[in-house]
Amino acid sequence: GACLDRIARVDGRLRAFITLDAEGALARARALDADLAVGRRRGPLHGVPLAYKDLCHVRGLPTSCGTKTAEYFTSDVECTAVTRLTGAGAVTLGKLNMTELALGPFGDNPHHGDVDNPWRRGHVAGGSSSGSGAAVTAGLAYGALGSDTGGSIRLPAACCGIVGVKATYGRVSRAGVMPLSWSLDHLGPMTRTV
């Protein structure tokens, strides 16, 4: 609930989210609370609110990849990283804004609005995982997934002052993620601290 309240207060300026799934997040949180009440813990991320760059296919949510088309990318499988995070108990808040088709370093988007840097109004959040960087920095989500082909995790992490990891190639599955360059794409976490 706290993340959803914060999103309602500040995301109008930041434009970090493309799709917010408040109802789904609250339903998941209630189910996880009920699990805890009977001593069942889903994993190390039990109840942790996360959000995902809008090139990750998440069942039940559109994947625009930052384009004007709500369902630009579809997949037969959910993003493997999202499935694993959900299995570890995470709560999905929604899908995060990005440079259109992950092609740019600034976080500008003509369809969903340019992502604003949480630290300084009117400054870039970095791209292309701009919404991921801004959401984590502003406390809208406790962590996020970004993708990196030529700097798209590292640039927003640097611009927003957070941690972003471009893992060893192939270490994190890219199944269920819109491809940009098969030989260079990486998926990785973005968080406030190590």
Side-chain angles (χ1 to χ4, degrees):
C3 284
L4 293 174
D5 291 343
R6 185 138 177 88
I7 291 165
R9 281 197 323 271
V10 302
D11 197 46
R13 173 179 81 85
L14 296 179
R15 293 174 298 277
F17 279 84
I18 289 177
T19 303
L20 179 63
D21 185 17
E23 285 184 28
L26 289 172
R28 169 85 168 154
R30 283 191 291 273
L32 290 168
D33 281 347
D35 283 347
L36 277 183
V38 296
R40 189 177 321 129
R41 193 170 155 85
R42 295 290 174 186
L45 297 176
H46 191 103
V48 176
L50 303 178
Y52 309 113
K53 186 175 181 178
D54 195 36
L55 51 59
C56 298
H57 176 64
V58 178
R59 277 189 202 91
L61 298 179
T63 305
S64 76
C65 301
T67 69
K68 190 174 183 178
T69 305
E71 294 282 357
Y72 179 86
F73 176 72
T74 59
S75 177
D76 293 335
V77 297
E78 181 172 68
C79 172
T80 299
V82 170
T83 300
R84 288 181 178 170
L85 291 166
T86 302
V91 173
T92 297
L93 294 170
K95 308 291 280 303
L96 296 165
N97 202 351
M98 57 183 280
T99 306
E100 187 174 13
L101 296 175
L103 294 169
F106 302 116
D108 52 325
N109 187 297
H111 311 294
H112 304 286
D114 301 346
V115 177
D116 207 14
N117 190 304
W119 294 111
R120 185 139 187 190
R121 188 180 297 264
H123 286 247
V124 301
S128 69
S129 303
S130 49
S132 301
V136 170
T137 301
L140 309 184
Y142 287 12
L145 282 180
S147 69
D148 194 314
T149 302
S152 294
I153 288 173
R154 295 164 290 159
L155 289 167
C159 287
C160 294
I162 62 170
V163 176
V165 176
K166 179 182 178 183
T168 301
Y169 181 78
R171 180 75 175 136
V172 179
S173 172
R174 292 171 295 144
V177 177
M178 180 207 83
L180 182 58
S181 170
W182 291 106
S183 61
L184 297 171
D185 291 346
H186 294 70
L187 197 64
M190 299 173 75
T191 60
R192 299 273 312 249
T193 67
V194 172

